Amino acid sequence: MSDQHVYRADLRIDVDAIRHNVRVLAGRAADSGARTMVIVKSDGYGHGALTVARAALEAGADRLGVAALGEALQLREGGITAPVLCWLFTEGDEFGPAIAADIELSASSQATLARIVAAATAQDRVARVHLKIDTGLARSGCPADLWPALVEAAAKAEAAGRIRVEAVWSHLACADEPGHPSIDMQAERFARAYEQARAAGLDPIRHLANSAAVLTRPDLHFELVRPGIAVYGLDPVPQAGDHGLRPAMTFRSSVSLTKRVPAGESVSYGHSWTAQKATNLALVPVGYADGVPRSLSGRMDVWLAGRRRPVRGRVCMDQLVVDCGDDEVREGDEVIVFGPGDRGEPTAAEWADELGTIHYEIVTGMFRPRVTRTVVNSEAEGT
């Protein structure tokens, strides 16, 4: 047995990496005169929303953003007092508890605005509202032809003392492709929408820049930026150079069994791989139920005993098999399934490239019932 901790399936979340990334991003924003809203939706992209929120605020973030009302309220219940924006609602969502908790709400339509005003009136409180304009992503956001009516309605509600319009905002479709013509097109549409809001008598701040735009388009920082994936150390625009981000998530397990098999022995379901010579195998007790995609079967490595080693055969629900050749490994030895890549281990970005997806999907889907999550301070540990 090694002297390392033994893990079945564990996510190591490095809060010092998160603080470092926020300092990098908030520094870029500050250079433009902008403040920083860190996005912690989907449980902090799988890293733990409260953990990330606290680290981000310590490192210079001013605000937080989430998609769902439940996510926003959980931050308040966890002791977060900083401004929190929530923007994606269903017909059954009740705005009263959010307004009572001083959660800022987004409105993309007059219908949503009316619901917010009604809830604020019922509580005799002023709701803080961000008006969202659709500038070309065609998801949430008010269509341009309906925007004048929305800002007029918001101005009336503000004059009546029921809401305070904090911001006008939108979201970029192709910011991760620097130079894409849609970026400037959306910026122009956003500028028109902002001027219409001002003409209606509103005095909002603006926010448009996601992680990629924070890193590549300082002209779009305005008064506030909204980094998401870059906070977690995953670069949305690696083609634009090294931005000094540090991945915060490491997925680790440990060896549960070792065995030597002779040449001609096949491994795992379907016998998709057969040993060409005698080899040592290490069983690792994680599989697709724990977030390791079955589609990586035959095309993934792990980091074990100081080097990358190939996974052989199919990834199973609960386990995978690593080929160690003639090297001796022991039960309990740590296995890095993916990590920051500092030692040459596989990364979440590598998984995403192999699967034809994005690293957002990888990290957001990793936290599962059988996977623990351990928060560490790498700088304090000297790692």
Side-chain angles (χ1 to χ4, degrees):
M1 183 72 69
S2 75
D3 60 357
Q4 301 183 63
H5 294 293
V6 177
Y7 307 103
R8 187 196 177 283
D10 179 69
L11 297 179
R12 178 184 186 270
I13 308 301
D14 182 357
V15 292
D16 286 322
I18 291 169
R19 293 188 190 101
H20 164 81
N21 299 330
V22 172
R23 286 193 293 267
V24 169
L25 297 161
R28 296 252 187 155
D31 287 344
S32 303
R35 294 185 174 183
T36 301
M37 175 191 296
V38 163
I39 306 305
V40 295
K41 63 180 181 176
S42 291
D43 197 20
Y45 290 49
H47 294 67
L50 276 170
T51 295
V52 177
R54 290 168 182 148
L57 293 169
E58 290 167 0
D62 303 283
R63 298 166 174 258
L64 303 168
V66 295
L69 285 175
E71 296 173 328
L73 292 171
Q74 285 173 0
L75 292 176
R76 287 287 186 257
E77 291 164 3
I80 299 297
T81 58
V84 176
L85 171 65
C86 181
W87 61 78
L88 190 61
F89 313 119
T90 66
E91 186 64 29
D93 281 334
E94 296 183 4
F95 293 130
I99 294 171
D102 201 25
I103 303 297
E104 299 180 3
L105 303 169
S106 177
S108 296
S109 68
Q110 287 193 71
T112 298
L113 179 64
R115 290 172 57 199
I116 294 171
V117 170
T121 301
Q123 296 199 25
D124 195 24
R125 295 176 65 100
V126 177
R128 300 179 182 274
V129 176
H130 295 229
L131 300 176
K132 188 175 186 184
I133 174 71
D134 179 8
T135 56
L137 188 58
R139 298 190 315 185
S140 60
C142 182
D145 60 324
L146 301 178
W147 181 253
L150 177 59
V151 295
E152 290 290 346
K156 290 180 181 178
E158 185 172 87
R162 292 307 174 193
I163 69 169
R164 165 63 188 168
V165 177
E166 296 285 337
V168 167
W169 72 296
S170 191
H171 195 50
L172 295 167
C174 304
D176 56 351
E177 301 176 51
H180 195 285
S182 70
I183 302 172
D184 287 338
M185 177 269 289
Q186 286 193 259
E188 292 170 4
R189 292 179 176 179
F190 186 66
R192 286 197 296 271
Y194 174 68
E195 290 305 321
Q196 288 174 311
R198 297 275 297 177
L202 300 173
D203 186 27
I205 64 170
R206 296 162 290 175
H207 51 100
L208 178 65
N210 56 6
S211 288
V214 173
L215 295 169
T216 64
R217 292 294 300 262
D219 59 314
L220 302 183
H221 288 180
F222 302 120
E223 294 80 36
L224 184 67
V225 300
R226 299 190 316 270
I229 195 65
V231 168
Y232 306 94
L234 300 175
D235 198 329
V237 280
Q239 69 272 34
D242 183 0
H243 297 109
L245 303 174
R246 288 163 45 188
M249 178 185 289
T250 296
F251 182 37
R252 56 190 177 173
S253 185
S254 55
V255 175
S256 63
L257 181 71
T258 64
K259 63 178 65 176
R260 188 162 181 85
V261 298
E265 194 72 15
S266 298
V267 172
S268 198
Y269 289 121
H271 282 184
S272 61
W273 183 83
T274 300
Q276 299 302 301
K277 61 180 183 178
T279 191
N280 294 326
L281 299 179
L283 186 68
V284 182
V286 294
Y288 57 79
D290 309 295
V292 183
R294 187 175 182 272
S295 52
L296 283 179
S297 297
R299 48 189 181 133
M300 68 175 289
D301 299 331
V302 299
W303 184 266
L304 170 58
R307 55 171 289 190
R308 288 176 71 122
R309 302 178 189 274
V311 172
R312 300 302 193 189
R314 292 180 185 165
V315 173
C316 305
M317 184 183 296
D318 314 298
Q319 51 200 301
L320 51 82
V321 179
V322 180
D323 184 1
C324 300
D326 292 326
D327 293 342
E328 296 279 345
V329 297
R330 297 176 296 176
E331 294 179 14
D333 280 353
E334 183 183 62
V335 177
I336 302 299
V337 188
F338 70 72
D342 298 336
R343 294 170 291 182
E345 74 271 21
T347 65
E350 182 180 322
W351 276 23
D353 290 343
E354 187 65 38
L355 294 167
T357 185
I358 56 176
H359 42 40
Y360 300 65
E361 182 180 358
I362 302 301
V363 295
T364 302
M366 290 310 302
F367 189 50
R368 300 181 180 220
R370 298 194 305 196
V371 181
T372 60
R373 194 159 53 193
T374 303
V375 177
V376 299
N377 294 275
S378 61
E379 294 175 2
E381 294 181 352
T383 60

